[in-house]
């Protein structure tokens, strides 16, 4: 065999082979059991391979063969609702093939090659097609899966195209130069899929989470990082985003995360309804689950697998949001493999190329004009788990240099059961400027100033709290006592949101606006009353405002809210006339 | 079996052997000493020229004249039904004077990862009888919930109380305890053993003891043996298994020791860069498998060096486990048992096991309200230290008093006090009723009117 070689050394997930010709990132089959691996270093005779499966019992002298291909994913109908491991093996198929525990040496294609899909062509004979052109459609779930000419196919004139029921291997279209096209394409995961043009993000990704949409929005095609020490509600926040964000397709990568939590996602998603279509949320979702005890090399690959799938749906003209939980685990996988390669470590043992890998990954996000001229986007939301909650560590720092939105989770807030535990003082969004027009147009021209007002009050509260810590709240001037109260209302009514409450879990912009406006109304009335000589005690004990928190839990909130607002007016009127 | 006498180097727990036949990675190795005694080890690195063997016992007595036998298989553990009630060494050999284990099966000790798709959703509430766990950090079957403690704190008592009292209310299914001690003192081990014997728990337990004076490297396999046993009991015999691993800090020290001996590039504080993956290989072996009867619930105990929760051991553990129970030195000094500080404690799977159909509909909201009120009261203590109690507003004073009350009534309980979940929740309500109703912003009105003692009494009076 020209391509065959033998193993020379095995030390954990990294093995050395000799006697094969290989290129970087070629996929190789290792040992008698043909474990899947990838070439990561070439050193004279020695080919160094990271193996995606457990290497126990593998001996020197066992065969190694090079497939000559790089690690690629299968893209086509059947992706949606799938649950994959880090190298796109469907977990359900693995259960059928090897039982409840992950054994090794089993390969499984990413797509079901026997299933037939109804293909409706959108091109006809004689049409010109180029890379990325839409050939036709398949109704995959409630999502229409557009079949594209692969970006690496030159294109030409359509010689024949067929409608009907096909598997992903059947030829559906032939071009005049003899190129045959199927509904499936393969794409190497480490190579970004090409686009026509990257556009500026101007539309927010609505998540239904008040602190995100209201204060720190992410744009469609944007990037965000959620760093959080453990136990600060990072995972819940990410899952909320996956459930409620108004992207058309959601790709969720559980990278080195907890098995039980993955199970929660796997059992919950199929039951959840998409708030827009009423169909199961799973119908627009692709899940990638590589738990912490699954092989480390597959964890390294999982992030690339996920983003490639996301890009593929973007190329159809969809808005895709991708959650990676957690990129720290991904970085750790890089570190582990790098240290097995005995590479010179950079900061904290991470490889020197950590920053480059992170920025390459986030740069694959964006709002784009696809090759077929449609608009699509991939928004990337990456969780970071800084060791010891220390944001100065390399993964967090290198991430922050790239991403535009930062949702700073705060363990102190979560200890106080303030959820989502996102710190409003440390978080930021650099998209506010570019999204302003959208909020003016779609929510209210008042919204942007209302948002600034709320941020100002919160900022002021933080300053006042320092004084309160020293002298107590009674010692503050009257106006500032009101500020403290208004800030408390913003925090407890607007910012706190209960992910487990059927109504409060999702809050649209209209309701967000109404709630913030009601708080503003109290604030305006309170200051006016104070000017009119009403005492702070009286202002703070206005009864109607105590009803405001309940608004969160009411589905048809408008009548209740109007009543509170009316009562508030009346109460303050009474106070003013008494004073 | 071929025996090699080609040892070239012995460094710490590692033995380097030259020019062997092809040897498998992870293979079990027997090292024969001059006096015929045998030590066991495992292959860490293999090539045709050199094999690196990690020895699980002390390397005392191993020399260039020792023989090396490669067994051709990875480390397997004989498991059987009659393991219940037995005491084994950290290496899996009986040390209670009883007969050898009759193996019904021999299982690979590394254990394969449960396919996430095959995992069952953990949602059976486990009642431990401890309010700070049941009420505010609820444990469910299949969870891994570590106890983060410090030197000199009563984590062992807490672990024992949990092992003794843990039950799923209304269920009579078979259960077992697997107890793995790593590097604890004989005295601590005796404490556990006496309690197991006194309460009759030993009959339902399998005990692995690696004591402080046992070889540190053996600690690397002790938890794996314990979990392999647990998997057999749970998934082959259908039992609900509670696994107590103590003390994981000693395990990590052993891991660091091997890393250093291999001259690996160290990660944070000298611990190996793969410690996360290694720990995950242990902790992730908790859970439920769809369609199988048993379950594995893990209670790892670790002592945080210097009470530092950001130390790599608790830090990495916290990223893998589903929450943590934090034992507080401050509460312990105040004489409160169990000194569990609920503020940094967390159970990530709590919401799966509480509420209607599991515990009680008000559970989540009562728990949140207790947390929030206690956190606020606790914050105010800092303020009081500066300005004195008199400078506080009336509202603040109420929360301050609530914090004291919470610690003395809710947190504090007896070593043998086994509270039902109803008792815990009602106790929570009693404490919350010391605050004005409008301060209970996290609980909706319906629940308040149903469970708040004031309204309950009113309802009783009317009724």
């Amino acid at each position: 065999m020209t391509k065959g070689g033998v193993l020379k050394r095995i030390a954990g997930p990294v093995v050395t082979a000799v006697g094969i010709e290989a290129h970087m990132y070629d996929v190789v089959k290792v040992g008698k059991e043909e474990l899947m691996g990838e070439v990561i270093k070439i050193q004279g005779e020695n080919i160094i391979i990271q193996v995606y499966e457990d290497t126990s019992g593998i001996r020197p002298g066992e065969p190694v063969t090079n497939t000559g291909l790089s690690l690629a994913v299968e893209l086509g109908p059947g992706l949606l609702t799938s649950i994959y491991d880090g190298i796109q093996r469907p977990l359900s198929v693995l259960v059928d093939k090897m039982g409840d525990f992950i054994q090794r040496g089993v390969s499984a294609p990413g797509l079901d090659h026997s299933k037939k899909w109804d293909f409706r062509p959108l091109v006809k004979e004689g049409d010109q097609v180029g890379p990325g052109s839409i050939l036709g459609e398949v109704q995959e779930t409630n999502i229409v899966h557009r079949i594209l000419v692969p970006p690496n196919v030159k294109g030409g004139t359509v010689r024949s195209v067929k409608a009907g029921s096909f598997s992903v291997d059947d030829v559906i279209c032939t071009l005049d130069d003899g190129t045959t096209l199927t509904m499936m394409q393969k794409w190497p995961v480490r190579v970004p899929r090409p686009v026509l043009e990257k556009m500026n993000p101007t539309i927010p990704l609505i998540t239904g989470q008040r602190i995100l949409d209201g204060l720190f929005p992410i744009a469609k095609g944007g990037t965000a990082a959620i760093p959080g020490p453990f136990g600060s509600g990072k995972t819940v926040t990410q899952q909320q985003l996956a459930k409620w964000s108004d992207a058309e397709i959601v790709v969720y990568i559980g990278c080195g995360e907890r098995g039980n939590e993955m199970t929660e996602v796997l059992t919950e998603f199929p039951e959840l309804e998409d708030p827009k279509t009423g169909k199961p949320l799973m119908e627009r979702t692709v899940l990638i689950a590589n738990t912490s005890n699954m092989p480390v090399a597959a964890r390294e690959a999982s992030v690339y697998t996920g983003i490639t799938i996301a890009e593929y749906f973007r190329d159809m003209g969809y808005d895709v949001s991708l959650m990676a939980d957690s990129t720290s685990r991904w970085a750790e996988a890089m570190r582990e493999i790098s240290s097995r390669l005995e590479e010179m470590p950079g900061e904290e043992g991470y490889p020197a190329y950590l920053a480059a890998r992170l920025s390459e990954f986030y740069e694959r996000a964006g709002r784009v004009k696809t090759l077929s001229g449609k608009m699509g986007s991939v928004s990337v939301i990456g969780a970071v788990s800084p060791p010891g909650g220390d944001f100065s560590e390399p993964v967090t720092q290198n991430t922050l240099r790239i991403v535009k939105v930062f949702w700073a989770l705060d363990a102190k807030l979560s200890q106080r059961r303030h959820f989502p535990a996102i710190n409003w003082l440390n978080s930021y969004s650099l998209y506010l400027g570019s999204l302003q027009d959208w909020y003016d147009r779609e929510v209210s021209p008042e919204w942007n100033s209302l948002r600034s007002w709320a941020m100002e009050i919160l900022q002021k509260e933080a300053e006042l709290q320092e004084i309160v810590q020293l002298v107590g709240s009674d010692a503050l001037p009257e106006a500032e006592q009101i500020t403290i109260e208004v800030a408390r209302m913003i925090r407890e009514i607007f910012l706190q949101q209960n992910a487990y409450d059927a109504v409060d879990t999702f809050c649209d912009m209209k309701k967000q606006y109404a709630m913030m406006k009601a708080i503003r109304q109290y604030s305006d009335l309170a200051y006016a009353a104070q000017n009119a000589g009403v005492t702070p005690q009286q202002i703070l004990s206005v009864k109607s405002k105590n009803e405001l928190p309940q608004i969160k839990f009411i589905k048809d909130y408008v009548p209740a809210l109007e009543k509170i607002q009316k009562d508030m007016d009346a109460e303050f009127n009474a106070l003013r006339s008494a004073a | 079996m071929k025996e090699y006498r080609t040892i070239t180097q012995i460094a710490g727990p590692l033995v380097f052997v030259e020019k062997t036949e092809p040897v498998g990675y992870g293979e079990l190795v027997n090292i024969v000493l001059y006096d015929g005694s045998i030590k066991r080890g495992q292959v860490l690195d293999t090539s045709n020229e050199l094999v690196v063997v990690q020895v699980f016992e002390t390397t005392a007595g191993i020399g260039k004249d020792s023989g090396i036998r490669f067994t051709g298989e990875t480390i397997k553990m004989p498991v059987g039904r009659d393991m219940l009630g037995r005491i084994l060494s950290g290496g899996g050999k009986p040390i209670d004077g009883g007969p050898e284990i009759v193996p019904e099966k021999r299982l690979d000790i590394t254990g394969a990862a449960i396919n996430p798709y095959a995992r069952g959703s953990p949602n059976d509430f486990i009642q431990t009888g401890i309010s700070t766990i049941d009420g505010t950090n609820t444990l469910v079957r299949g969870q891994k919930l570590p106890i983060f403690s410090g030197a000199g704190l009563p984590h062992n008592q807490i672990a024992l109380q949990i092992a003794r009292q843990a039950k799923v209310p209304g269920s009579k299914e078979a259960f077992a305890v697997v107890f793995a001690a790593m590097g604890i003192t004989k005295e601590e081990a005796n404490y556990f053993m006496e309690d197991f014997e006194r309460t009759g728990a030993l009959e339902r337990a399998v005990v692995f003891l690696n004591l402080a004076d046992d070889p540190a490297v053996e600690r690397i396999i002790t938890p794996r043996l314990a979990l392999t046993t647990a998997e057999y009991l749970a998934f082959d015999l259908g039992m609900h298994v509670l696994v107590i691993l103590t003390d994981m800090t000693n395990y990590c020290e052993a891991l660091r020791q091997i890393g250093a001996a291999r001259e690996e590039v160290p990660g944070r504080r000298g611990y190996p860069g793969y410690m996360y993956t290694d720990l995950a290989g242990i902790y992730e072996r908790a859970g439920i498998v769809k369609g199988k009867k048993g379950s594995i619930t893990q209670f790892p105990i670790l002592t945080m060096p210097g009470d530092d929760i950001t130390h790599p051991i608790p830090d990495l553990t916290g990223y893998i486990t589903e929450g943590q129970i934090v034992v507080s030195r401050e509460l312990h000094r105040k004489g409160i048992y169990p000194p569990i500080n609920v503020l940094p404690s967390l159970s990530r799977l709590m919401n799966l096991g509480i509420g209607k159909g599991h515990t009680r509909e008000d559970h989540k909201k009562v728990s949140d309200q207790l947390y929030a009120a206690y956190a606020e009261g606790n914050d105010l203590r800092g303020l009081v230290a500066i300005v004195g109690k008199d400078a506080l507003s009336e509202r603040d004073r109420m929360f301050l008093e609530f914090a004291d009350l919470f610690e003395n009534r809710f947190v504090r309980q007896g070593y043998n006090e086994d509270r039902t979940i109803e008792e815990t929740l009602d106790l929570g309500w009693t404490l919350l009723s010391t605050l004005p109703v409008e301060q209970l912003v996290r609980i909706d009105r319906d629940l308040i009117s149903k469970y708040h003692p004031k309204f309950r009494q009113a309802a009783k009076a009317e009724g």
Side-chain angles (χ1 to χ4, degrees):
Chain A
M1 260 197 298
T2 52
K3 278 181 172 174
V6 290
L7 277 177
K8 188 178 164 192
R9 178 182 173 198
I10 301 106
V14 173
V15 303
T16 308
V18 288
I20 52 169
E21 273 184 34
H23 300 102
M24 284 295 276
Y25 299 115
D26 277 354
V27 171
V28 291
K29 304 267 181 204
V30 175
K32 288 177 197 146
E33 292 176 66
E34 302 204 321
L35 308 183
M36 196 166 153
E38 191 179 17
V39 175
I40 51 170
K41 191 173 176 183
I42 299 171
Q43 207 170 30
E45 273 284 274
N46 295 335
I47 307 296
I48 317 236
I49 298 160
Q50 61 173 348
V51 184
Y52 294 126
E53 296 173 80
D54 177 36
T55 52
S56 291
I58 309 288
R59 297 160 184 238
E62 289 193 31
V64 176
T65 48
N66 188 356
T67 62
L69 305 167
S70 39
L71 183 65
V73 285
E74 295 188 346
L75 301 169
L79 282 172
L80 293 174
T81 73
S82 286
I83 302 160
Y84 294 118
D85 75 352
I87 47 175
Q88 213 207 4
R89 295 187 301 181
L91 289 173
S92 58
V93 175
L94 294 187
V95 170
D96 296 339
K97 283 197 172 180
M98 56 193 186
D100 298 333
F101 292 85
I102 305 256
Q103 308 296 339
R104 62 186 190 190
V106 177
S107 61
L111 297 179
D112 184 344
H113 287 241
S114 56
K115 186 161 180 179
K116 301 264 187 191
W117 299 93
D118 276 327
F119 174 70
R120 285 189 308 277
L122 292 174
V123 293
K124 52 186 189 307
E125 274 168 48
D127 281 357
Q128 285 292 322
V129 293
S133 295
I134 296 170
L135 289 174
E137 292 177 341
V138 166
Q139 189 73 41
E140 187 175 351
T141 54
N142 60 326
I143 300 278
V144 172
H145 192 116
R146 303 189 176 111
I147 306 296
L148 310 173
V149 177
N152 50 359
V153 166
K154 193 166 94 262
T157 313
V158 175
R159 188 195 291 164
S160 69
V161 62
K162 292 186 278 190
S165 180
F166 302 105
S167 78
V168 291
D169 293 322
D170 295 334
V171 174
I172 46 151
C173 179
T174 316
L175 303 183
D176 55 356
D177 61 352
T179 312
T180 55
L181 299 171
T182 64
M183 288 193 281
M184 182 184 82
Q185 46 180 289
K186 283 196 170 185
W187 191 263
V189 296
R190 295 183 197 274
V191 182
R193 288 173 63 89
V195 298
L196 211 55
E197 196 186 350
K198 277 213 165 184
M199 316 289 282
N200 282 335
T202 52
I203 303 168
L205 182 77
I206 295 297
T207 63
Q209 311 303 304
R210 284 186 293 267
I211 185 161
L212 306 187
D213 298 348
L215 299 190
F216 309 108
I218 176 180
K220 285 197 171 116
T223 51
I226 316 183
F230 62 76
S232 56
K234 172 174 60 68
T235 309
V236 176
T237 308
Q238 281 230 331
Q239 290 179 2
Q240 283 295 96
L241 286 169
K243 282 180 206 167
W244 299 113
S245 73
D246 67 344
E248 287 149 309
I249 307 286
V250 174
V251 178
Y252 188 97
I253 310 170
C255 173
E257 280 296 314
R258 303 174 181 87
N260 278 333
E261 257 169 21
M262 249 4 268
T263 307
E264 202 184 325
V265 174
L266 300 188
T267 44
E268 231 180 57
F269 271 42
E271 284 170 21
L272 282 171
E273 261 184 22
D274 184 338
K276 279 185 300 184
T277 60
K279 294 271 174 60
L281 204 53
M282 203 58 199
E283 297 210 342
R284 58 161 189 164
T285 308
V286 182
L287 290 174
I288 294 168
N290 210 82
T291 56
S292 52
N293 57 340
M294 283 156 76
V296 66
R299 193 198 306 162
E300 196 267 340
S302 64
V303 164
Y304 294 105
T305 302
I307 191 116
T308 309
I309 293 172
E311 284 178 340
Y312 173 66
F313 281 103
R314 172 204 67 191
D315 289 349
M316 294 178 207
Y318 286 120
D319 290 317
V320 185
S321 74
L322 175 126
M323 327 275 158
D325 186 10
S326 135
T327 56
S328 293
R329 303 281 93 90
W330 175 50
E332 269 163 27
M334 276 191 252
R335 170 165 74 180
E336 200 171 320
I337 290 158
S338 159
S339 98
R340 303 241 186 213
L341 290 175
E342 291 166 8
E343 288 175 340
M344 182 67 86
E347 219 178 327
E348 290 201 20
Y350 286 102
Y353 46 78
L354 171 74
R357 292 275 171 90
L358 280 168
S359 53
E360 274 165 28
F361 167 67
Y362 280 107
E363 202 46 32
R364 288 174 79 167
R367 183 156 172 268
V368 305
K369 195 179 246 175
T370 67
L371 294 179
S372 64
K374 283 186 172 277
M375 297 298 291
S377 69
V378 174
S379 316
V380 173
I381 297 157
V384 185
S385 330
D390 168 18
F391 286 1
S392 70
E393 59 91 39
V395 182
T396 313
Q397 280 306 312
N398 283 311
T399 304
L400 288 185
R401 281 215 293 275
I402 312 157
V403 299
K404 296 281 191 303
V405 179
F406 176 64
W407 294 321
L409 284 170
D410 190 332
K412 265 211 124 131
L413 289 175
S414 75
Q415 281 175 19
R416 267 187 240 156
R417 289 300 185 260
H418 175 108
F419 287 119
I422 295 170
N423 186 310
W424 50 91
L425 298 172
N426 297 343
S427 301
Y428 59 76
S429 164
L430 301 183
Y431 293 117
L432 283 172
S434 53
L435 298 178
Q436 203 165 351
D437 289 345
W438 186 92
Y439 281 102
D440 278 346
R441 207 171 54 234
E442 304 288 331
V443 184
S444 156
E446 269 176 275
W447 174 255
N448 287 306
S449 61
L450 211 49
R451 180 197 173 276
S452 318
W453 167 79
M455 281 308 292
E456 211 174 290
I457 295 276
L458 290 169
Q459 192 68 47
K460 190 122 189 248
E461 184 204 24
E463 287 161 24
L464 292 175
Q465 280 299 348
E466 283 173 25
I467 303 171
V468 172
Q469 292 284 320
L470 291 174
V471 297
S473 60
D474 288 349
L476 285 179
E478 291 184 354
E480 293 181 342
Q481 290 184 34
I482 295 173
T483 308
I484 293 260
E485 175 65 9
V486 174
R488 191 188 62 79
M489 286 167 69
I490 296 177
R491 281 190 286 111
E492 290 184 1
I493 300 169
F494 190 81
L495 297 184
Q496 285 185 9
Q497 193 165 354
N498 188 343
Y500 297 97
D501 184 277
V503 175
D504 200 29
T505 184
F506 179 87
C507 182
D508 61 23
M509 271 318 293
K510 230 168 135 185
K511 187 169 176 185
Q512 295 190 22
Y513 171 64
M515 284 170 68
M516 190 61 104
K517 225 180 144 181
I519 300 171
R520 177 71 198 250
Q521 185 192 348
Y522 170 81
S523 168
D524 290 348
L525 288 170
Y527 286 118
Q530 186 238 333
N531 281 334
V534 182
T535 66
Q537 280 73 23
Q538 285 173 308
I539 294 173
L540 300 191
S541 53
V542 163
K543 280 219 176 58
S544 45
K545 81 170 160 55
N546 294 339
E547 299 297 323
L548 266 179
Q550 297 294 328
I551 291 297
K552 297 200 257 193
F553 309 112
I554 303 173
K555 195 157 193 236
D556 301 314
Y557 59 91
V558 180
L561 187 62
E562 275 171 2
K563 182 177 177 298
I564 294 171
Q565 287 177 301
K566 242 183 68 226
D567 292 351
M568 220 147 58
D569 274 332
E571 267 190 275
F572 273 104
N573 272 335
L575 283 176
R576 266 202 308 271
S577 45
Chain B
M1 196 184 295
K2 210 166 167 184
E3 193 172 303
Y4 295 92
R5 291 184 185 276
T6 51
I7 294 180
T8 55
Q9 190 188 338
I10 301 166
L14 303 184
V15 172
F16 297 75
V17 191
E18 266 191 351
K19 293 191 195 72
T20 59
E21 302 271 295
V23 172
Y25 173 75
E27 216 171 84
L28 176 67
V29 181
N30 289 325
I31 302 168
V32 188
L33 269 52
Y34 59 93
D35 60 356
S37 62
I38 288 180
K39 290 181 186 288
R40 294 186 309 161
Q42 186 182 16
V43 176
L44 278 190
D45 192 336
T46 169
S47 63
N48 287 332
E49 294 81 43
L50 191 72
V51 175
V52 182
V53 178
Q54 162 192 329
V55 186
F56 291 127
E57 295 157 59
T58 147
T59 44
I62 302 181
K64 286 191 166 183
D65 57 346
S66 304
I68 303 279
R69 291 178 191 161
F70 297 102
T71 59
E73 58 168 29
T74 49
I75 303 184
K76 296 233 161 50
M77 159 145 199
V79 289
R81 210 170 288 264
D82 64 350
M83 290 178 86
L84 285 173
R86 299 298 303 272
I87 302 172
L88 310 171
S89 74
K93 297 198 182 104
I95 50 169
D96 53 0
E100 288 286 319
I101 304 294
V102 182
E104 287 169 42
K105 248 187 173 175
R106 285 163 52 78
L107 298 174
D108 199 320
I109 67 158
T110 10
I114 303 177
N115 185 326
Y117 191 75
R119 271 184 189 268
S121 181
N123 48 21
D124 285 333
F125 163 69
I126 296 184
Q127 180 179 298
T128 64
I130 297 174
S131 291
T132 37
I133 298 178
D134 295 350
T136 45
N137 295 288
T138 316
L139 176 70
V140 296
R141 256 183 194 162
Q143 187 171 12
K144 39 194 180 293
L145 191 63
I147 298 178
F148 285 9
S149 184
L153 295 178
H155 43 265
N156 290 342
Q157 280 94 316
I158 298 172
L160 276 172
Q161 189 170 4
I162 292 165
R164 199 170 56 232
Q165 296 179 172
K167 58 183 157 291
V168 172
S171 145
K172 286 207 175 65
E173 289 161 291
F175 75 98
V177 174
V178 172
F179 177 80
M182 290 158 279
I184 64 171
T185 61
K186 181 75 189 152
E187 203 183 316
E188 282 174 296
N190 283 346
Y191 180 77
F192 275 100
M193 297 315 301
E194 274 163 24
D195 199 273
F196 283 150
E197 269 168 45
R198 185 171 57 80
T199 57
L202 191 59
E203 281 169 45
R204 313 286 318 156
V206 186
V207 177
F208 292 85
L209 289 182
N210 166 287
L211 299 181
D213 57 348
D214 286 331
V217 195
E218 192 183 76
R219 277 161 217 165
I220 299 290
I221 57 169
T222 308
R224 297 193 159 82
L225 296 173
L227 287 162
T228 306
T229 310
E231 277 166 1
Y232 172 74
L233 297 175
F235 303 132
D236 284 37
L237 302 186
M239 295 181 177
H240 293 286
V241 187
L242 186 69
V243 181
I244 300 173
L245 305 168
T246 181
D247 174 330
M248 286 305 289
T249 305
N250 294 333
Y251 172 84
C252 294
E253 296 298 337
L255 208 61
R256 175 161 72 173
Q257 196 183 336
I258 291 165
R262 289 183 71 184
E263 297 177 2
E264 289 169 341
V265 181
R268 264 201 304 158
R269 300 222 192 169
Y271 293 96
Y274 50 79
M275 191 156 90
Y276 177 81
T277 308
D278 190 278
L279 287 174
I282 293 176
Y283 296 139
E284 275 294 335
R285 290 172 81 173
I288 297 174
V289 174
K290 264 188 240 168
K292 291 200 171 156
K293 245 179 86 191
S295 66
I296 297 179
T297 308
Q298 269 190 34
F299 256 110
I301 299 170
L302 57 88
T303 45
M304 298 181 281
D307 290 352
D308 176 10
I309 201 165
T310 67
H311 184 279
I313 300 172
D315 193 52
L316 294 180
T317 299
Y319 275 123
I320 304 163
T321 55
E322 287 125 0
Q324 65 275 335
I325 301 289
V326 179
V327 182
S328 143
R329 199 169 295 278
E330 202 194 324
L331 288 174
H332 182 60
R333 284 203 190 113
K334 284 187 192 166
I336 293 172
Y337 175 88
I340 293 173
N341 185 356
V342 297
L343 295 178
S345 299
L346 169 76
S347 164
R348 289 168 177 275
L349 301 183
M350 174 165 178
N351 291 316
L352 298 177
I354 63 169
K356 232 179 183 153
H358 299 284
T359 54
R360 214 165 75 179
E361 54 178 338
D362 57 330
H363 192 154
K364 165 93 182 127
K365 292 196 164 145
V366 170
S367 162
D368 281 354
Q369 187 67 62
L370 285 169
Y371 247 105
Y374 177 57
E376 185 157 2
N378 199 39
D379 281 352
L380 286 166
R381 286 176 176 164
L383 180 59
V384 170
I386 302 170
V387 298
K389 221 172 185 170
D390 297 341
L392 292 186
S393 68
E394 185 162 354
R395 177 178 180 279
D396 287 355
R397 247 186 313 239
M398 278 187 307
F399 277 92
L400 191 68
E401 274 159 28
F402 176 85
D404 290 336
L405 208 56
F406 182 80
E407 286 173 5
N408 281 314
R409 300 264 318 266
F410 195 82
V411 180
R412 188 197 292 277
Q413 67 185 86
Y415 178 55
N416 289 311
E417 186 180 350
D418 189 356
R419 293 182 188 156
T420 67
I421 183 63
E422 283 77 20
E423 284 167 351
T424 293
L425 290 176
D426 288 345
L427 179 59
W429 276 110
T430 309
L431 298 183
L432 289 176
S433 68
T434 62
L435 299 172
V437 176
E438 63 271 15
Q439 293 295 345
L440 308 181
V441 288
R442 281 152 206 276
I443 309 178
D444 31 290
R445 292 292 141 87
D446 299 350
L447 290 176
I448 289 182
S449 51
K450 191 162 168 195
Y451 291 103
H452 194 288
K454 200 167 91 188
F455 298 102
R456 268 205 220 183
Q457 275 160 10
K460 236 183 237 163
E462 271 177 38

